[in-house]
Protein backbone atom coordinates (compact mmCIF):
# COMPACT_ATOMS: atom_id res chain seq x y z
CA UNK A 1 0.00 0.00 0.00
CA UNK A 2 2.69 2.38 0.95
CA UNK A 3 4.61 1.34 -2.13
CA UNK A 4 1.57 1.95 -4.19
CA UNK A 5 1.17 5.35 -2.71
CA UNK A 6 4.84 6.04 -3.22
CA UNK A 7 4.61 4.86 -6.77
CA UNK A 8 1.55 6.99 -7.34
CA UNK A 9 3.29 9.93 -5.79
CA UNK A 10 6.29 9.33 -7.97
CA UNK A 11 4.07 9.11 -10.99
CA UNK A 12 2.34 12.31 -10.02
CA UNK A 13 5.67 14.00 -9.40
CA UNK A 14 7.00 12.78 -12.74
CA UNK A 15 3.91 13.96 -14.47
CA UNK A 16 4.13 17.32 -12.78
CA UNK A 17 7.81 17.55 -13.67
CA UNK A 18 7.03 16.71 -17.30
CA UNK A 19 4.21 19.18 -17.29
CA UNK A 20 6.39 21.94 -15.94
CA UNK A 21 9.19 20.99 -18.35
CA UNK A 22 6.80 21.21 -21.31
CA UNK A 23 5.40 24.42 -19.95
CA UNK A 24 8.87 25.91 -19.72
CA UNK A 25 9.69 24.84 -23.26
CA UNK A 26 6.45 26.37 -24.57
CA UNK A 27 7.15 29.62 -22.79
CA UNK A 28 10.59 29.81 -24.36
CA UNK A 29 9.15 29.07 -27.79
CA UNK A 30 6.48 31.69 -27.29
CA UNK A 31 9.07 34.22 -26.23
CA UNK A 32 11.21 33.37 -29.27
CA UNK A 33 8.18 33.64 -31.52
CA UNK A 34 7.26 36.95 -29.96
CA UNK A 35 10.80 38.20 -30.42
CA UNK A 36 10.77 37.04 -34.05
CA UNK A 37 7.40 38.64 -34.56
CA UNK A 38 8.66 41.85 -33.04
CA UNK A 39 11.74 41.73 -35.32
CA UNK A 40 9.55 41.13 -38.33
CA UNK A 41 7.33 44.00 -37.31
CA UNK A 42 10.34 46.28 -36.88
CA UNK A 43 11.75 45.17 -40.22
CA UNK A 44 8.39 45.77 -41.85
CA UNK A 45 8.19 49.18 -40.22
CA UNK A 46 11.71 49.97 -41.42
CA UNK A 47 10.96 48.83 -44.95
CA UNK A 48 7.73 50.76 -44.82
CA UNK A 49 9.60 53.88 -43.78
CA UNK A 50 12.19 53.34 -46.51
CA UNK A 51 9.45 52.74 -49.07
CA UNK A 52 7.60 55.83 -47.92
CA UNK A 53 10.83 57.83 -48.05
CA UNK A 54 11.65 56.59 -51.57
CA UNK A 55 8.10 57.27 -52.67
CA UNK A 56 8.31 60.74 -51.20
CA UNK A 57 11.65 61.39 -52.89
CA UNK A 58 10.28 60.07 -56.21
CA UNK A 59 7.20 62.24 -55.86
CA UNK A 60 9.42 65.23 -55.09
CA UNK A 61 11.57 64.46 -58.16
CA UNK A 62 8.55 64.00 -60.40
CA UNK A 63 7.04 67.17 -59.05
CA UNK A 64 10.27 69.09 -59.62
CA UNK A 65 10.54 67.72 -63.14
CA UNK A 66 6.92 68.56 -63.84
CA UNK A 67 7.43 72.06 -62.46
CA UNK A 68 10.56 72.51 -64.60
CA UNK A 69 8.71 71.32 -67.72
CA UNK A 70 5.79 73.53 -66.83
CA UNK A 71 8.13 76.46 -66.37
CA UNK A 72 9.79 75.74 -69.72
CA UNK A 73 6.40 75.52 -71.41
CA UNK A 74 5.39 78.77 -69.79
CA UNK A 75 8.59 80.39 -71.05
CA UNK A 76 7.92 79.09 -74.55
CA UNK A 77 4.36 80.35 -74.40
CA UNK A 78 5.58 83.70 -73.14
CA UNK A 79 8.18 83.91 -75.94
CA UNK A 80 5.55 82.93 -78.48
CA UNK A 81 3.18 85.48 -77.06
CA UNK A 82 5.89 88.15 -77.20
CA UNK A 83 6.69 87.24 -80.83
CA UNK A 84 3.02 87.34 -81.72
CA UNK A 85 2.66 90.69 -80.04
CA UNK A 86 5.76 91.96 -81.87
CA UNK A 87 4.44 90.68 -85.21
CA UNK A 88 1.12 92.23 -84.53
CA UNK A 89 2.81 95.53 -83.76
CA UNK A 90 4.88 95.24 -86.96
CA UNK A 91 1.75 94.48 -88.96
CA UNK A 92 0.02 97.43 -87.37
CA UNK A 93 2.94 99.68 -88.31
CA UNK A 94 2.99 98.29 -91.86
CA UNK A 95 -0.75 98.77 -92.17
CA UNK A 96 -0.35 102.32 -90.94
CA UNK A 97 2.42 102.88 -93.49
CA UNK A 98 0.27 101.37 -96.25
CA UNK A 99 -2.65 103.54 -95.21
CA UNK A 100 -0.40 106.61 -95.36
CA UNK A 101 0.89 105.59 -98.79
CA UNK A 102 -2.62 104.93 -100.06
CA UNK A 103 -3.71 108.28 -98.75
CA UNK A 104 -0.68 109.98 -100.33
CA UNK A 105 -1.31 108.20 -103.64
CA UNK A 106 -4.95 109.20 -103.49
CA UNK A 107 -3.97 112.82 -102.95
CA UNK A 108 -1.41 112.56 -105.72
CA UNK A 109 -3.95 111.01 -108.07
CA UNK A 110 -6.38 113.81 -107.32
CA UNK A 111 -3.61 116.34 -107.90
CA UNK A 112 -2.66 114.66 -111.20
CA UNK A 113 -6.28 114.59 -112.32
CA UNK A 114 -6.64 118.22 -111.41
CA UNK A 115 -3.42 119.13 -113.24
CA UNK A 116 -4.46 117.01 -116.23
CA UNK A 117 -7.74 118.90 -116.37
CA UNK A 118 -5.89 122.19 -116.13
CA UNK A 119 -3.46 121.04 -118.83
CA UNK A 120 -6.33 120.03 -121.12
CA UNK A 121 -7.96 123.40 -120.60
CA UNK A 122 -4.68 125.18 -121.24
CA UNK A 123 -3.99 123.02 -124.32
CA UNK A 124 -7.43 123.82 -125.73
CA UNK A 125 -6.85 127.49 -125.05
CA UNK A 126 -3.46 127.37 -126.73
CA UNK A 127 -4.85 125.51 -129.72
CA UNK A 128 -7.66 128.01 -130.04
CA UNK A 129 -5.17 130.87 -129.75
CA UNK A 130 -2.86 129.30 -132.35
CA UNK A 131 -5.78 128.69 -134.70
CA UNK A 132 -6.91 132.27 -134.23
CA UNK A 133 -3.44 133.73 -134.81
CA UNK A 134 -2.37 131.38 -137.61
CA UNK A 135 -5.73 131.12 -139.27
CA UNK A 136 -5.40 127.29 -139.31
CA UNK A 137 -7.60 124.55 -137.95
CA UNK A 138 -6.22 122.03 -135.48
CA UNK A 139 -6.01 119.38 -138.21
CA UNK A 140 -4.09 121.72 -140.50
CA UNK A 141 -1.74 122.70 -137.70
CA UNK A 142 -1.24 119.06 -136.83
CA UNK A 143 -0.49 118.19 -140.45
CA UNK A 144 1.98 121.06 -140.70
CA UNK A 145 3.67 120.00 -137.48
CA UNK A 146 3.86 116.38 -138.61
CA UNK A 147 5.31 117.45 -141.95
CA UNK A 148 7.95 119.53 -140.21
CA UNK A 149 8.77 116.67 -137.84
CA UNK A 150 8.91 114.25 -140.76
CA UNK A 151 11.33 116.52 -142.58
CA UNK A 152 13.54 116.85 -139.51
CA UNK A 153 13.48 113.09 -138.93
CA UNK A 154 14.31 112.42 -142.59
CA UNK A 155 17.18 114.90 -142.53
CA UNK A 156 18.50 113.44 -139.31
CA UNK A 157 18.18 109.91 -140.69
CA UNK A 158 20.00 110.95 -143.86
CA UNK A 159 22.80 112.52 -141.82
CA UNK A 160 23.08 109.38 -139.73
CA UNK A 161 23.04 107.17 -142.82
CA UNK A 162 25.72 109.28 -144.52
CA UNK A 163 27.84 109.19 -141.38
CA UNK A 164 27.41 105.43 -141.11
CA UNK A 165 28.18 104.99 -144.81
CA UNK A 166 31.32 107.11 -144.47
CA UNK A 167 32.45 105.10 -141.46
CA UNK A 168 31.69 101.80 -143.18
CA UNK A 169 33.38 102.97 -146.38
CA UNK A 170 36.47 104.07 -144.52
CA UNK A 171 36.62 100.80 -142.62
CA UNK A 172 35.90 98.81 -145.78
CA UNK A 173 38.64 100.62 -147.70
CA UNK A 174 41.10 100.02 -144.90
CA UNK A 175 40.21 96.34 -144.73
CA UNK A 176 40.20 96.05 -148.50
CA UNK A 177 43.69 97.54 -148.69
CA UNK A 178 44.92 95.07 -146.09
CA UNK A 179 43.25 92.15 -147.84
CA UNK A 180 44.52 93.23 -151.25
CA UNK A 181 48.06 93.66 -150.00
CA UNK A 182 47.93 90.20 -148.44
CA UNK A 183 46.41 88.66 -151.56
CA UNK A 184 48.92 90.37 -153.84
CA UNK A 185 51.78 89.07 -151.74
CA UNK A 186 50.47 85.51 -151.62
CA UNK A 187 48.65 84.66 -154.83
CA UNK A 188 49.33 87.41 -157.36
CA UNK A 189 51.43 85.18 -159.58
CA UNK A 190 48.72 82.51 -159.89
CA UNK A 191 45.59 84.64 -160.01
CA UNK A 192 46.45 87.85 -161.83
CA UNK A 193 46.60 86.19 -165.20
CA UNK A 194 43.32 84.32 -164.64
CA UNK A 195 41.39 87.37 -163.38
CA UNK A 196 42.81 90.13 -165.61
CA UNK A 197 43.08 88.51 -169.02
CA UNK A 198 40.48 87.45 -171.62
CA UNK A 199 41.32 85.67 -174.88
CA UNK A 200 39.35 86.41 -178.02
CA UNK A 201 39.70 83.86 -180.86
CA UNK A 202 40.13 85.24 -184.40
CA UNK A 203 39.51 83.48 -187.70
CA UNK A 204 43.12 83.85 -188.87
CA UNK A 205 46.31 85.69 -188.13
CA UNK A 206 45.53 88.06 -191.00
CA UNK A 207 42.90 89.70 -188.80
CA UNK A 208 45.63 90.89 -186.42
CA UNK A 209 46.77 93.46 -188.93
CA UNK A 210 43.25 94.74 -189.51
CA UNK A 211 42.75 95.01 -185.71
CA UNK A 212 45.95 97.05 -185.41
CA UNK A 213 45.00 99.26 -188.36
CA UNK A 214 47.05 101.79 -190.28
CA UNK A 215 49.75 103.13 -187.93
CA UNK A 216 47.88 101.44 -185.02
CA UNK A 217 44.85 103.72 -185.14
CA UNK A 218 42.33 100.88 -184.76
CA UNK A 219 43.96 99.33 -181.71
CA UNK A 220 44.40 102.75 -180.10
CA UNK A 221 40.73 103.60 -180.73
CA UNK A 222 39.64 100.26 -179.26
CA UNK A 223 41.83 100.64 -176.15
CA UNK A 224 40.65 104.25 -175.64
CA UNK A 225 36.97 103.30 -175.99
CA UNK A 226 37.11 100.23 -173.73
CA UNK A 227 39.87 101.12 -171.23
CA UNK A 228 41.64 97.76 -171.64
CA UNK A 229 44.91 96.77 -173.26
CA UNK A 230 45.00 94.66 -176.42
CA UNK A 231 47.95 92.29 -176.61
CA UNK A 232 48.65 91.06 -180.13
CA UNK A 233 51.61 88.69 -180.09
CA UNK A 234 52.67 85.44 -181.71
CA UNK A 235 49.81 83.48 -180.15
CA UNK A 236 48.10 81.82 -183.11
CA UNK A 237 44.48 82.69 -183.91
CA UNK A 238 43.94 84.68 -180.66
CA UNK A 239 44.05 88.22 -179.29
CA UNK A 240 44.51 88.86 -175.57
CA UNK A 241 42.55 91.53 -173.63
CA UNK A 242 44.15 92.69 -170.38
CA UNK A 243 42.49 94.80 -167.66
CA UNK A 244 41.58 94.73 -163.97
CA UNK A 245 37.95 95.76 -164.56
CA UNK A 246 36.03 92.63 -165.64
CA UNK A 247 33.12 94.69 -166.99
CA UNK A 248 35.34 96.74 -169.29
CA UNK A 249 37.13 93.58 -170.35
CA UNK A 250 33.79 91.94 -171.21
CA UNK A 251 32.67 95.04 -173.15
CA UNK A 252 35.93 94.91 -175.12
CA UNK A 253 35.48 91.18 -175.81
CA UNK A 254 31.88 91.61 -177.04
CA UNK A 255 32.82 94.64 -179.17
CA UNK A 256 35.86 92.93 -180.70
CA UNK A 257 33.88 89.78 -181.41
CA UNK A 258 31.18 91.84 -183.15
CA UNK A 259 33.81 93.74 -185.19
CA UNK A 260 35.46 90.50 -186.26
CA UNK A 261 32.07 89.10 -187.30
CA UNK A 262 31.14 92.28 -189.21
CA UNK A 263 34.56 92.64 -190.80
CA UNK A 264 34.41 96.45 -190.85
CA UNK A 265 37.09 97.69 -188.47
CA UNK A 266 37.78 101.42 -188.28
CA UNK A 267 37.60 104.06 -185.44
CA UNK A 268 34.00 105.11 -186.12
CA UNK A 269 32.77 101.54 -186.32
CA UNK A 270 34.78 100.71 -183.19
CA UNK A 271 33.01 103.45 -181.18
CA UNK A 272 29.60 102.20 -182.36
CA UNK A 273 30.47 98.58 -181.53
CA UNK A 274 31.75 99.53 -178.06
CA UNK A 275 28.60 101.59 -177.29
CA UNK A 276 26.37 98.69 -178.37
CA UNK A 277 28.50 96.24 -176.38
CA UNK A 278 28.13 98.39 -173.25
CA UNK A 279 24.35 98.31 -173.58
CA UNK A 280 24.35 94.54 -174.08
CA UNK A 281 26.67 93.93 -171.12
CA UNK A 282 24.63 96.21 -168.83
CA UNK A 283 21.44 94.44 -169.90
CA UNK A 284 23.05 91.08 -169.23
CA UNK A 285 24.24 92.24 -165.78
CA UNK A 286 20.76 93.52 -164.91
CA UNK A 287 19.12 90.28 -166.07
CA UNK A 288 21.63 88.17 -164.14
CA UNK A 289 21.06 90.31 -161.04
CA UNK A 290 17.28 89.92 -161.25
CA UNK A 291 17.64 86.19 -161.68
CA UNK A 292 20.02 86.04 -158.70
CA UNK A 293 17.50 88.01 -156.59
CA UNK A 294 14.75 85.59 -157.58
CA UNK A 295 16.95 82.60 -156.78
CA UNK A 296 17.76 84.14 -153.37
CA UNK A 297 14.03 84.87 -152.78
CA UNK A 298 14.67 88.62 -152.35
CA UNK A 299 12.93 90.15 -155.38
CA UNK A 300 12.56 93.88 -155.84
CA UNK A 301 16.16 94.86 -155.13
Amino acid sequence: MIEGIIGLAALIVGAAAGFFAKRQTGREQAEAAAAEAERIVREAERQQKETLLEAKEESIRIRSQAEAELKERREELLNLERRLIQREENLDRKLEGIDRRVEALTHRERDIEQRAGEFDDLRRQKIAEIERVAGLTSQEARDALLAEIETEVRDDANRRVRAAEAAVKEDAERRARNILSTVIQRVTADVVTETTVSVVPIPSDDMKGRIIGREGRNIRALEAATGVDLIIDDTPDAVTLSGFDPVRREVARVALTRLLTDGRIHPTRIEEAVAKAKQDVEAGIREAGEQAALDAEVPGL
Side-chain angles (χ1 to χ4, degrees):
M1 186 71 174
I2 293 172
E3 291 177 357
I5 293 171
I6 293 172
L8 181 57
L11 182 59
I12 292 170
V13 172
F19 172 75
F20 285 112
K22 289 181 178 180
R23 186 177 180 183
Q24 182 65 27
T25 302
R27 184 181 294 116
E28 291 177 357
Q29 292 178 350
E31 291 177 355
E36 182 64 21
E38 185 177 358
R39 186 187 65 76
I40 292 172
V41 170
R42 287 197 301 270
E43 182 67 20
E45 290 177 352
R46 184 183 63 77
Q47 291 181 357
Q48 183 180 7
K49 289 180 179 179
E50 291 179 355
T51 302
L52 290 174
L53 182 61
E54 290 178 357
K56 186 176 181 180
E57 291 177 353
E58 182 67 18
S59 65
I60 292 172
R61 186 184 64 79
I62 293 172
R63 182 177 180 182
S64 300
Q65 185 177 358
E67 289 178 352
E69 292 179 356
L70 181 61
K71 184 178 180 181
E72 184 177 357
R73 293 290 179 86
R74 286 178 179 175
E75 290 292 334
E76 292 178 356
L77 290 175
L78 289 175
N79 292 331
L80 180 60
E81 185 178 1
R82 283 194 293 269
R83 286 197 297 269
L84 291 175
I85 292 173
Q86 186 176 2
R87 289 184 180 180
E88 185 177 0
E89 292 176 353
N90 292 334
L91 288 175
D92 290 338
R93 286 194 295 270
K94 289 182 179 179
L95 288 175
E96 290 177 359
I98 292 173
D99 292 337
R100 287 193 298 270
R101 289 183 180 180
V102 169
E103 185 177 359
L105 289 175
T106 303
H107 289 308
R108 186 174 181 181
E109 185 178 359
R110 292 200 200 97
D111 188 20
I112 291 173
E113 290 178 355
Q114 182 178 359
R115 292 188 179 182
E118 295 175 355
F119 176 77
D120 290 337
D121 294 338
L122 182 61
R123 185 174 62 86
R124 285 192 292 269
Q125 293 175 5
K126 292 296 183 181
I127 291 175
E129 183 67 19
I130 291 173
E131 291 177 354
R132 184 185 64 80
V133 174
L136 299 175
T137 63
S138 59
Q139 184 63 36
E140 292 173 346
R142 185 180 294 107
D143 294 340
L145 180 60
L146 290 176
E148 183 178 356
I149 293 174
E150 183 180 359
T151 302
E152 291 180 358
V153 170
R154 187 184 298 110
D155 293 341
D156 183 66
N158 290 333
R159 285 194 298 271
R160 291 176 180 269
V161 169
R162 286 194 295 271
E165 288 179 349
V168 171
K169 184 177 180 181
E170 181 180 358
D171 184 65
E173 290 179 354
R174 178 180 57 80
R175 294 188 179 186
R177 285 194 296 270
N178 294 334
I179 294 172
L180 287 175
S181 62
T182 302
V183 169
I184 290 172
Q185 293 174 3
R186 293 184 179 181
V187 296
T188 181
D190 299 329
V191 179
V192 168
T193 301
E194 298 177 1
T195 58
T196 61
V197 173
S198 297
V199 177
V200 179
I202 59 177
S204 64
D205 288 343
D206 296 338
M207 295 297 296
K208 293 181 180 180
R210 297 182 62 184
I211 294 172
I212 295 173
R214 183 179 298 176
E215 297 178 355
R217 62 178 184 176
N218 290 341
I219 191 172
R220 287 196 300 271
L222 188 58
E223 288 179 345
T226 59
V228 300
D229 296 330
L230 271 73
I231 301 174
I232 301 176
D233 52 15
D234 296 336
T235 305
D237 299 331
V239 174
T240 302
L241 303 177
S242 177
F244 287 99
D245 191 337
V247 176
R248 291 183 178 181
R249 203 166 62 247
E250 179 64 14
V251 170
R253 187 190 67 79
V254 173
L256 183 57
T257 302
R258 184 168 295 159
L259 289 170
L260 292 173
T261 303
D262 184 46
R264 294 176 297 168
I265 304 176
H266 52 80
T268 303
R269 180 59 183 163
I270 289 172
E271 292 179 357
E272 294 175 355
V274 170
K276 187 65 172 61
K278 287 182 179 179
Q279 295 178 357
D280 293 343
V281 171
E282 289 178 356
I285 292 174
R286 185 179 299 106
E287 183 179 355
E290 292 176 353
Q291 185 61 43
L294 292 176
D295 294 339
E297 298 182 356
V298 286
L301 294 178

